[in-house]
Amino acid sequence: MKLSEFKLDLPHSLIAMHPYEQRDSSRMMVVNRKTKKIEHKMFKDIVDYFGENDTMVVNNTKVFPARLYGSKEKTGAKIEVFLLRELNREMRLWDVLVDPARKIRVGNKLYFGDSDLVAEVIDNTTSRGRTIRFLFDGSHEEMMKTIHELGETPLPIDIIKRPVTEDDRERYQTIFAENEGAVAAPTAGMHFTRNVQRRMELKGTNFCPITLHIGIGTFRQVDVEDLTKHKTDSENFFIPESTCDIVNNSIDKEGRICAIGTTAMKAIESSVSASNHLKPVNNGWTDKFIFPPFDFKITNALLTNLHLPESILLMTACAFGGHELIMQAYNEAIKEKYKFFTYGDVMLIL
């Protein structure tokens, strides 16, 4: 398919600037692939769509405060360092994005506030990408504590267009967040509350975790018309054996396997056995780019936020729900003034 087939006339006023006061009070559009029916519900109504032998696969990655502000040595020029991923814990090497990139060169030292945290630029990786080495007298745990104190919640502020607040530290996480390593939240999971989870479990619905540490590539703009030429960044993922047991039992009993978010779906569709069951993964990497057409082996339901036009997340939703049906649903969502993006409303595709 072509990039231009995912265009939408989305008013910026429909991009959610803030989360709902209550996590589970968002709207939910329900799209049925078989009947082509579109329903308008509230997220709390998700309880009505699942029951015994159904399984919800959640991404338990945890966002860390990846955006640091500092200054260059000598000149004192203000700089931003966005931590992407740790490359080598012992050597304290990190893959980062920097801004303004033209001013940050190999050999520069970067200082962060009045703390003991200093970084040295040791390599250029892309136009904005750098490899840095943190210079810090202390343990890894002490260094990460300092990063947590200095760092800012990595909201996509270029799109949301507002300052980050202290509330974002809590709300830009899901209730399932456990394993730290993501620079973006698995937003579909942010609608769940413990109350909704308990109500679903009382009906016999299983919840089981995978971990996929979401990188900045999830939001990287696609700049090629031919989607087969787009390359996505690799992301680190884990699938525990206990999750495989639950998912595979649901498959054998013909239950629904609902991926809570495109990241959960990406992980489970990246580890499929010859018998179309889920396989465990310990410290794997996936660069799978899911766009139409795609043959799903495990997932048969998807909960996902409403995404931006021409984004890879919209393409993934279209791969699952069918391009024509999902684009029709998105145009209806715009007409009905649903809220889009990180803190917006949600779509359940059955």
Side-chain angles (χ1 to χ4, degrees), residues 187-245:
T187 54
M190 295 200 301
H191 303 274
F192 279 91
T193 61
R194 292 298 179 195
N195 181 51
V196 169
Q197 182 184 0
R198 280 195 297 270
R199 287 172 62 205
M200 295 183 76
E201 288 174 335
L202 285 171
K203 290 184 65 181
T205 303
N206 304 299
F207 281 76
C208 59
I210 59 88
T211 304
L212 185 139
H213 293 313
I214 304 166
I216 202 72
T218 296
F219 300 105
R220 187 162 287 148
Q221 184 176 350
V222 178
D223 55 9
V224 290
E225 179 67 4
D226 181 354
L227 298 184
T228 62
K229 292 183 167 56
H230 177 71
K231 303 299 181 188
T232 61
D233 298 349
S234 289
E235 292 171 312
N236 193 203
F237 78 111
F238 305 77
I239 301 177
E241 196 161 332
S242 57
T243 289
C244 294
D245 292 341

Side-chain angles (χ1 to χ4, degrees), residues 8 30 37 68 72 199 204 236 244 317 329 347:
L8 287 163
V30 182
K37 184 179 178 182
L68 293 170
K72 275 181 61 178
R199 287 172 62 205
N236 193 203
C244 294
M347 176 182 285

Side-chain angles (χ1 to χ4, degrees), residues 26-81:
S26 61
R27 298 167 74 189
M28 181 173 72
M29 178 181 282
V30 182
V31 181
N32 190 302
R33 294 178 293 168
K34 186 176 292 185
T35 65
K36 312 300 181 189
K37 184 179 178 182
I38 297 173
E39 298 178 283
H40 301 286
K41 301 285 187 175
M42 301 301 292
F43 175 72
K44 295 175 184 178
D45 297 325
I46 195 171
V47 177
D48 300 332
Y49 291 89
F50 297 91
E52 195 171 355
N53 297 327
D54 294 335
T55 294
M56 317 296 278
V57 181
V58 302
N59 186 355
N60 69 1
T61 189
K62 187 174 184 179
V63 180
F64 69 99
R67 185 178 279 114
L68 293 170
Y69 295 100
S71 58
K72 275 181 61 178
E73 64 175 337
K74 297 179 182 176
T75 67
K78 301 301 181 186
I79 51 97
E80 176 187 318
V81 175

Side-chain angles (χ1 to χ4, degrees), residues 10 16 241 325:
L10 176 66
E241 196 161 332
L325 179 60

Side-chain angles (χ1 to χ4, degrees), residues 158-294:
D158 54 328
I159 297 169
I160 290 185
K161 298 186 185 301
R162 68 160 172 83
V164 175
T165 68
E166 192 60 32
D167 287 344
D168 290 313
R169 287 213 175 211
E170 177 196 351
R171 293 305 302 273
Y172 197 55
Q173 303 277 13
T174 72
I175 63 167
F176 310 108
E178 185 176 327
N179 297 324
E180 190 171 89
V183 300
T187 54
M190 295 200 301
H191 303 274
F192 279 91
T193 61
R194 292 298 179 195
N195 181 51
V196 169
Q197 182 184 0
R198 280 195 297 270
R199 287 172 62 205
M200 295 183 76
E201 288 174 335
L202 285 171
K203 290 184 65 181
T205 303
N206 304 299
F207 281 76
C208 59
I210 59 88
T211 304
L212 185 139
H213 293 313
I214 304 166
I216 202 72
T218 296
F219 300 105
R220 187 162 287 148
Q221 184 176 350
V222 178
D223 55 9
V224 290
E225 179 67 4
D226 181 354
L227 298 184
T228 62
K229 292 183 167 56
H230 177 71
K231 303 299 181 188
T232 61
D233 298 349
S234 289
E235 292 171 312
N236 193 203
F237 78 111
F238 305 77
I239 301 177
E241 196 161 332
S242 57
T243 289
C244 294
D245 292 341
I246 294 169
V247 168
N248 293 337
N249 183 56
S250 281
I251 290 173
D252 292 339
K253 291 182 177 178
E254 299 183 347
R256 276 197 174 125
I257 310 299
C258 183
I260 306 303
T262 58
T263 58
M265 185 164 71
K266 179 177 180 177
I268 60 181
E269 294 295 333
S270 294
S271 187
V272 181
S273 72
S275 62
N276 290 340
H277 284 67
L278 188 61
K279 298 188 300 185
V281 175
N282 182 30
N283 198 24
W285 293 87
T286 179
D287 60 358
K288 187 177 287 295
F289 175 27
I290 298 176
F291 64 95
F294 187 87

Side-chain angles (χ1 to χ4, degrees), residues 5 106 128 137 141 166 212 225 250 294 334:
E5 295 179 79
V106 173
R128 287 186 59 211
D137 292 330
E141 290 72 22
E166 192 60 32
L212 185 139
E225 179 67 4
S250 281
F294 187 87
I334 292 170

Side-chain angles (χ1 to χ4, degrees), residues 61-186:
T61 189
K62 187 174 184 179
V63 180
F64 69 99
R67 185 178 279 114
L68 293 170
Y69 295 100
S71 58
K72 275 181 61 178
E73 64 175 337
K74 297 179 182 176
T75 67
K78 301 301 181 186
I79 51 97
E80 176 187 318
V81 175
F82 193 100
L83 304 177
L84 295 178
R85 64 183 182 188
E86 186 180 50
L87 298 174
N88 185 303
R89 181 163 297 186
E90 187 178 349
M91 298 182 67
R92 296 183 171 169
L93 299 180
W94 282 75
D95 183 21
V96 305
L97 295 177
V98 295
D99 187 43
R102 67 185 183 280
K103 293 185 178 180
I104 301 175
R105 301 184 177 127
V106 173
N108 287 159
K109 282 194 172 67
L110 311 175
Y111 295 86
F112 302 98
D114 297 325
S115 73
D116 294 332
L117 191 67
V118 179
E120 181 181 12
V121 181
I122 64 171
D123 195 17
N124 291 335
T125 53
T126 63
S127 59
R128 287 186 59 211
R130 302 289 186 271
T131 300
I132 65 169
R133 177 190 290 118
F134 280 115
L135 310 174
F136 183 82
D137 292 330
S139 66
H140 171 76
E141 290 72 22
E142 290 169 331
M143 186 183 84
M144 291 307 298
K145 183 174 183 290
T146 301
I147 288 173
H148 273 262
E149 290 169 353
L150 296 174
E152 182 181 274
T153 303
L155 284 184
I157 52 178
D158 54 328
I159 297 169
I160 290 185
K161 298 186 185 301
R162 68 160 172 83
V164 175
T165 68
E166 192 60 32
D167 287 344
D168 290 313
R169 287 213 175 211
E170 177 196 351
R171 293 305 302 273
Y172 197 55
Q173 303 277 13
T174 72
I175 63 167
F176 310 108
E178 185 176 327
N179 297 324
E180 190 171 89
V183 300

